[in-house]
Amino acid sequence: GENVEQHPSTLSVQEGDSAVIKCTYSDSASNYFPWYKQELGKGPQLIIDIRSNVGEKKDQRIAVTLNKTAKHFSLHITETQPEDSAVYFCAASKGNSGYALNFGKGTSLLVTP
Amino acid sequence: KAGVTQTPRYLIKTRGQQVTLSCSPISGHRSVSWYQQTPGQGLQFLFEYFSETQRNKGNFPGRFSGRQFSNSRSEMNVSTLELGDSALYLCASSFSSGSGEEQYFGPGTRLTVT
């Protein structure tokens, strides 16, 4: 089955700096790659996603890049703020009957003022 | 639009008992997926329902089951609870069933098995 690896497991940055989280996937048939942010006591919140026919997508301070050849994708957060502190998960899925997300183990991001 | 709702939010059960968790998807969404989240295993897919049919199933024992009703609401059941079933159970809904469909998660049900 699909295996998604996520690095680093923890990341600490100063407010205003950039943060980068990287994921790799094993199944070349995967074609959808969402990123989720989970705050304490809450469910994961979809923050951005990318499909396999696109190499990069940006939404304000957040961007995601995808390299299909290398089977890896990354989340970039610029101008980090303390409220960005949370656990971030990458996921991958492929087109088939039924919908299943395969998640990475998560990255705990801490943004210090 | 109201988000995904899950009830109850917290539950404490004893080993050997069974439990039923409920999920109401976002209005108009017809696909409901269930995930188990634990510190050790992370987020793992349980199963997905679309139009009252189970379309996909993860690698969990048969003690874990689910169903979906005609109004798209879904329930999952765990029978003969084990200590290892203690976890946050998350429900996610999407408009249809297929890769590339955005999934939106509820707040989860925290199940503790003693």
Side-chain angles (χ1 to χ4, degrees), chain B residues 1 10 18 32-33 41 56 80 109:
Chain B
K1 223 181 217 185
Y10 303 92
Q18 75 164 15
V32 173
S33 298
Q41 298 300 316
N56 204 356
T80 320
T109 293

Side-chain angles (χ1 to χ4, degrees), chain B residues 67-80:
Chain B
R67 59 177 176 168
Q68 186 180 35
F69 302 94
S70 58
N71 61 358
S72 294
R73 191 178 68 86
S74 177
E75 289 181 347
M76 69 163 280
N77 183 278
V78 188
S79 62
T80 320

Side-chain angles (χ1 to χ4, degrees), chain B residues 1-62:
Chain B
K1 223 181 217 185
V4 178
T5 57
Q6 293 187 245
T7 57
R9 291 294 311 278
Y10 303 92
L11 208 48
I12 299 175
K13 289 287 187 177
T14 305
R15 261 183 311 175
Q17 288 186 316
Q18 75 164 15
V19 67
T20 299
L21 312 181
S22 181
C23 171
S24 292
I26 292 170
S27 178
H29 283 192
R30 295 165 63 193
S31 171
V32 173
S33 298
W34 289 88
Y35 293 82
Q36 181 195 65
Q37 185 174 27
T38 60
Q41 298 300 316
L43 280 149
Q44 293 186 288
F45 173 76
L46 280 156
F47 29 65
E48 186 254 357
Y49 286 86
F50 179 76
S51 292
E52 302 177 66
T53 301
Q54 186 180 90
R55 297 292 297 273
N56 204 356
K57 190 177 190 305
N59 191 25
F60 278 82

Side-chain angles (χ1 to χ4, degrees), chain A residues 60-110:
Chain A
Q60 299 183 343
R61 296 185 298 109
I62 294 173
V64 58
T65 59
L66 171 65
N67 183 326
K68 284 189 296 182
T69 304
K71 288 191 279 189
H72 69 70
F73 55 113
S74 301
L75 177 71
H76 304 252
I77 306 174
T78 59
E79 300 170 25
T80 54
Q81 302 166 1
E83 50 266 38
D84 294 330
S85 297
V87 180
Y88 291 80
F89 293 94
C90 63
S93 76
K94 58 185 177 183
N96 57 3
S97 180
Y99 189 48
L101 289 171
N102 296 284
F103 283 89
K105 293 290 190 190
T107 295
S108 179
L109 173 65
L110 178 64

